[in-house]
Amino acid sequence: MIPFRNTWPYETIQNDVYVAECPYCSQENILIPIRKHELQEIHEGRKRLLVFPCCHNKTMLIDVDRDYILADQPLRKAPQV
């Protein structure tokens, strides 16, 4: 099962890929350096290093679907108990 904490939502506008908020620095409306056509390659098994342009944090993308990117590390904070 895919851990939800390793996912992050994204949007596509034409050929550009955006995230509403950076999972590391919380800056809003970030254009990430991935093109729409690369999403299919990632989904087919090609891993891709993603460097967020706002804070230069890095994560390895291992899969995507129509709504979320899947990383090899947690992108969401653990819920407080």
Side-chain angles (χ1 to χ4, degrees):
M1 179 172 219
I2 297 171
F4 186 69
R5 68 180 182 266
N6 289 21
T7 65
W8 199 257
Y10 74 91
E11 298 282 333
T12 58
I13 299 175
Q14 295 184 346
N15 287 324
D16 296 329
V17 181
Y18 291 87
V19 293
E21 181 181 355
C22 175
Y24 298 106
C25 71
S26 300
Q27 186 171 334
E28 296 180 349
N29 299 321
I30 305 300
L31 171 63
I32 58 176
I34 294 177
R35 294 299 198 182
K36 189 175 180 178
H37 67 85
E38 293 176 281
L39 295 174
Q40 183 63 31
E41 295 172 1
I42 297 167
H43 180 66
E44 292 172 352
R46 182 177 184 201
K47 294 181 181 178
R48 173 79 155 66
L49 180 66
L50 171 60
V51 179
F52 285 88
C54 47
C55 59
H56 304 288
N57 279 298
K58 302 172 189 164
T59 189
M60 184 65 68
L61 301 183
I62 56 176
D63 198 3
V64 297
D65 65 12
R66 294 186 324 184
D67 299 314
Y68 293 93
I69 57 176
L70 174 64
D72 65 345
Q73 62 188 2
L75 298 175
R76 300 173 187 270
K77 294 180 174 85
Q80 298 294 325
V81 179

